[in-house]
Every structure is written in structure tokens, then in C-alpha cells.
């Protein structure tokens, strides 16, 4: 059974962008000097342990959970050890620090690392649209971002993606932060609670928190997925040294995500069953509604391959915000070779890990 590790308390999760950049530079120096290790041979009967870090535990990552519960990762030779890191910077920092083999979160972290002389490669997409919804108990549906004038909006702190998406949306609408509209940052995963407690007019949150808030009388008043369009909201990040020393593990993981992504859309009933197991503290009907919304708005990746338009929309936003320079070309930070092989192969077979 795949292990789950509970995230650290909020007080221990704080990791500033400056600290992240410093860590990237330090790790970059060490990576260059590290010798490559020989790949291990694995078979279907001998599973490869994979240390896997997710930014936060949420239903945007339903394809990961479907893959685990359907036995897809194990079929392909992997024993997934999944840990929730508590945020986007934290999850990639786990890869940089060597405590995780892969991370899923805002793939801008890999871009920032590369721009500062550090390592980082994106081998796939897990969430293909902005998986955030504006949720409120007091507001009416909003179609024009200019209508956010005068409002307080709660998100995770910068540079988490829901903060970045919200900030750019407000500024593109001609609103000045702190004057025309205010973003109230809180710990990731607590956005809804802060809104319900009256700290803001609207929370920018993800599933299943959104469905849980609707069950308490809140409503979705803004849809970020359609506002932003194709978007690499969540990528699979890894170090170049891992690609070199164990390409079979990387291929098995990417192949598993491709199969799991397709199963998620092909079998919504199974996705709901999995979601109920992953979030047992929520009423079943709330979880079902969350999955319906995820699939309706095409939020989980339909295929693991990272597309040019998805990456461009992410980079355009981060360059606008000053979080990244966009100086690393698409084909140098995105390695779609594993995804292309995953798409080409037969999904009925078993990926046998070899040297």
C-alpha cells in the first residue's frame, strides 16, 4: 500500500522565494560534482521505491490518486511514497535537497532554479488549467475582473500559483493592489476557512475545498480555468541527474501518469471512489461534486505531455509578475521524450524497468 506522510505544521513550512533561490544555487554547485550512479534493474515483482512530493493534497491531482488506487504505478514497477510538502516552493525544494525523486507543483520553480544556475527539468503536466475557483458567501457571480475593485481576496502566499494568477488578473484589469483590491495571504489549504471567518470577500481555492464550501452555503463566483485557458498549472519536476542515472524509473512514472490521466476521464465513477478514499473526512456527495467540477472544467491533465501553449501561458504570467525571466527555452526545460514514449506505447502492457 502506498505510504502517506502528513505535511508539517504551517509554522515549519515557511520558505521564501529568496531562500528557494539561494538553495537552488547551492544545490547547483553540488549537482555538477556528483557522480552518476548505475541504474538498478527492476521487474514487475521487484518494485522501485519512488519518493514523491506533492505541493498540497488536493483533487487537482486526482490522476495521481487514480494511478495509485488502480495499481497503475505498481503495474509499471513503482512503489510510490507520497508526501505533501505544504506549498510549491517546498515541494521542489524537496527535490533540490534530495529528499524526493520527483515533485509536482508550480513548474515555475524549475524555471527559477535554472535561471539561477540550478538544476530542474519538467517531464510532464499533471494539471492543465488553473484549478482555482473564486468562492464567496456574499458576492454575486463575476464575469469581468474589474468587478473585483474594492474587494479583499484570500489566497496562498506568493509565489504559490493561486496568488500569482490572482495578482496578474487584478493588474491586467487595471486594479492597483493594496489600493483598488487587496490580496490576503494565508497558509495553503486554509483559504476557504479564512473567507468563511470573514477575513476576505472571496477565497481563491481548489477542490475539494470548493465543494465543501458550497455545502456550507458559499458559491463559486469566478472560474479561473476558463479565464486563463491552457496552462501548465502543475508539472512533474525532476533533476537532470535523475534522468541520467535512472531513465527507466522516469519513464515508468511518466507512463503511469499518462495511463492514470486517461483512466480519470474514462471512468469518473472510479475517480469519485478514489477521491472519497483520499478525503474520508468529507461527505461523499461533496467529493463527488468536486470531481464533477474537475472533469467538467478539464482541470486534471488529459495527457501527461506538456504543450507549448500551456507553458507559454505559465511563463507569460510569471514573467509579467517578475517571478521568472523566461530565459530558458521550452525545449531546454521541458523534456517531452518520456511523455511521447508513454503516449506511443500500448496501455495494456506492463512497463518493465531495465538498465
Amino acid at each position: 500500500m502506498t505510504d502517506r506522510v502528513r505535511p508539517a505544521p504551517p509554522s515549519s513550512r515557511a520558505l521564501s522565494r529568496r531562500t528557494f533561490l539561494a538553495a537552488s544555487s547551492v544545490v547547483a554547485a553540488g549537482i555538477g560534482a556528483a557522480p552518476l550512479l548505475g541504474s538498478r534493474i527492476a521487474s514487475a515483482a521487484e518494485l522501485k521505491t519512488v519518493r514523491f512530493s506533492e505541493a498540497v493534497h488536493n483533487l487537482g491531482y486526482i490522476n495521481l490518486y487514480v494511478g495509485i488506487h488502480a495499481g497503475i504505478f505498481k503495474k509499471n514497477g513503482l512503489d510510490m511514497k507520497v508526501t505533501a510538502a505544504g506549498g510549491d516552493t517546498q515541494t521542489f525544494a524537496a527535490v533540490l535537497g534530495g529528499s524526493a525523486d520527483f515533485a509536482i507543483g508550480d513548474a515555475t520553480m524549475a524555471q527559477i532554479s535554472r535561471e539561477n544556475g540550478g538544476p530542474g527539468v519538467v517531464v510532464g503536466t499533471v494539471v492543465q488549467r488553473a484549478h482555482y475557483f473564486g468562492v464567496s458567501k456574499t458576492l454575486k457571480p463575476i464575469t469581468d475582473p474589474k468587478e473585483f475593485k474594492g474587494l479583499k481576496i484570500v489566497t496562498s502566499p506568493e509565489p504559490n500559483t493561486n496568488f500569482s494568477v490572482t495578482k496578474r488578473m487584478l493588474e491586467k484589469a487595471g486594479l492597483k493592489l493594496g489600493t483598488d483590491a487587496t490580496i490576503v495571504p494565508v497558509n495553503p489549504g486554509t483559504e476557504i476557512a479564512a473567507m468563511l471567518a470573514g477575513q476576505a470577500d472571496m477565497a481563491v481555492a481548489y477542490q475539494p475545498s470548493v465543494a465543501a464550501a458550497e455545502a456550507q452555503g458559499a458559491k463559486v463566483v469566478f472560474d479561473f480555468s476558463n479565464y486563463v485557458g491552457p496552462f501548465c498549472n502543475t508539472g512533474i519536476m525532476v533533476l537532470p541527474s535523475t534522468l541520467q542515472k535512472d531513465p527507466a524509473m522516469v519513464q515508468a512514472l511518466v507512463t503511469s501518469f499518462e495511463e492514470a490521466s486517461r483512466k480519470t476521464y474514462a471512468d469518473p465513477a472510479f475517480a469519485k471512489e478514489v477521491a472519497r478514499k483520499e478525503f474520508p473526512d468529507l461527505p461523499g456527495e461533496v467529493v463527488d461534486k468536486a470531481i464533477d467540477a474537475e472533469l467538467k472544467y478539464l482541470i486534471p491533465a488529459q495527457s501527461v505531455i506538456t504543450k507549448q501553449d500551456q507553458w507559454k501561458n505559465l511563463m507569460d504570467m510569471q514573467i509579467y509578475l517578475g517571478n521568472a525571466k523566461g530565459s530558458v527555452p521550452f525545449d531546454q526545460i521541458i523534456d517531452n521524450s518520456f511523455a511521447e514514449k508513454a503516449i506511443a506505447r500500448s496501455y495494456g502492457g506492463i512497463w518493465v524497468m531495465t538498465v
Side-chain angles (χ1 to χ4, degrees), residues 4 54 56-66 69 104 126-127 131 133 205-212 234 264-265 270-280 282-295 299-301:
R4 292 277 182 196
E54 59 177 359
V56 290
H57 195 57
N58 73 93
L59 284 182
Y61 304 161
I62 185 60
N63 34 17
L64 167 64
Y65 312 140
V66 164
H69 287 271
I104 56 172
V126 177
V127 180
H131 67 135
F133 297 89
Y206 36 77
Q207 299 289 5
S209 298
V210 172
T234 301
T264 298
Y265 280 93
F270 182 73
K272 291 176 181 179
E273 179 184 332
V274 168
R276 288 184 179 217
K277 292 177 180 177
E278 289 293 322
F279 295 89
L282 292 177
E285 61 273 16
V286 168
V287 176
D288 290 351
K289 185 175 182 178
I291 291 296
D292 285 337
E294 290 287 301
L295 301 184
I299 290 172

Side-chain angles (χ1 to χ4, degrees), residues 13 21 51 152-153 166 244 287 302 314:
R13 297 183 200 153
L21 296 179
R51 300 167 303 163
K152 285 186 178 181
I153 305 165
T166 304
Q244 295 171 16
V287 176
Q302 294 166 288
L314 173 65

Side-chain angles (χ1 to χ4, degrees), residues 16-268:
S16 68
R17 182 168 175 263
R18 181 178 299 175
T19 302
F20 172 75
L21 296 179
S24 297
S25 300
V26 171
V27 173
I31 291 294
L36 296 179
L37 301 178
S39 298
R40 292 183 58 192
I41 299 176
S43 67
E46 181 183 326
L47 299 180
K48 173 82 174 184
T49 298
V50 176
R51 300 167 303 163
F52 193 92
S53 177
E54 59 177 359
V56 290
H57 195 57
N58 73 93
L59 284 182
Y61 304 161
I62 185 60
N63 34 17
L64 167 64
Y65 312 140
V66 164
I68 290 171
H69 287 271
I72 294 171
F73 290 98
K74 286 191 174 182
K75 180 188 72 173
N76 290 324
L78 304 179
D79 182 16
M80 300 287 284
K81 307 295 184 183
V82 181
T83 304
D88 291 316
T89 52
Q90 292 92 328
T91 194
F92 188 56
V95 170
L96 288 175
S99 62
D101 301 305
F102 300 91
I104 56 172
D106 184 352
T108 307
M109 300 302 114
Q111 177 81 12
I112 292 172
S113 176
R114 290 286 292 278
E115 291 178 355
N116 287 273
V121 178
V122 178
V123 294
T125 294
V126 177
V127 180
Q128 66 184 10
R129 284 181 176 262
H131 67 135
Y132 304 107
F133 297 89
V135 183
S136 176
K137 289 196 75 170
T138 59
L139 300 176
K140 295 180 180 179
I142 294 173
T143 56
D144 185 345
K146 292 179 180 179
E147 297 177 43
F148 286 106
K149 186 173 183 178
L151 301 182
K152 285 186 178 181
I153 305 165
V154 64
T155 76
S156 302
E158 191 176 13
N160 284 288
T161 318
N162 59 346
F163 182 102
S164 299
V165 169
T166 304
K167 180 179 179 181
R168 189 190 188 202
M169 176 192 69
L170 294 174
E171 291 183 349
K172 284 188 70 177
L175 303 180
K176 184 177 180 180
L177 282 181
T179 301
D180 297 321
T182 303
I183 294 179
V184 180
V186 297
N187 286 322
T190 65
E191 297 90 349
I192 291 292
M195 179 273 295
L196 292 175
Q199 294 183 35
D201 302 293
M202 186 185 83
V204 180
Y206 36 77
Q207 299 289 5
S209 298
V210 172
E214 290 180 291
Q216 298 179 62
K219 295 181 180 179
V220 171
V221 296
F222 192 77
D223 165 28
F224 282 89
S225 65
N226 282 310
Y227 171 78
V228 176
F231 186 68
C232 182
N233 191 101
T234 301
I236 305 171
M237 297 172 282
V238 64
L239 299 182
S241 57
T242 302
L243 302 186
Q244 295 171 16
K245 73 183 181 183
D246 206 342
M249 175 180 69
V250 179
Q251 185 64 70
L253 183 112
V254 175
T255 296
S256 297
F257 264 103
E258 178 67 25
E259 185 175 348
S261 295
R262 294 184 179 223
K263 183 172 179 60
T264 298
Y265 280 93
D267 194 350

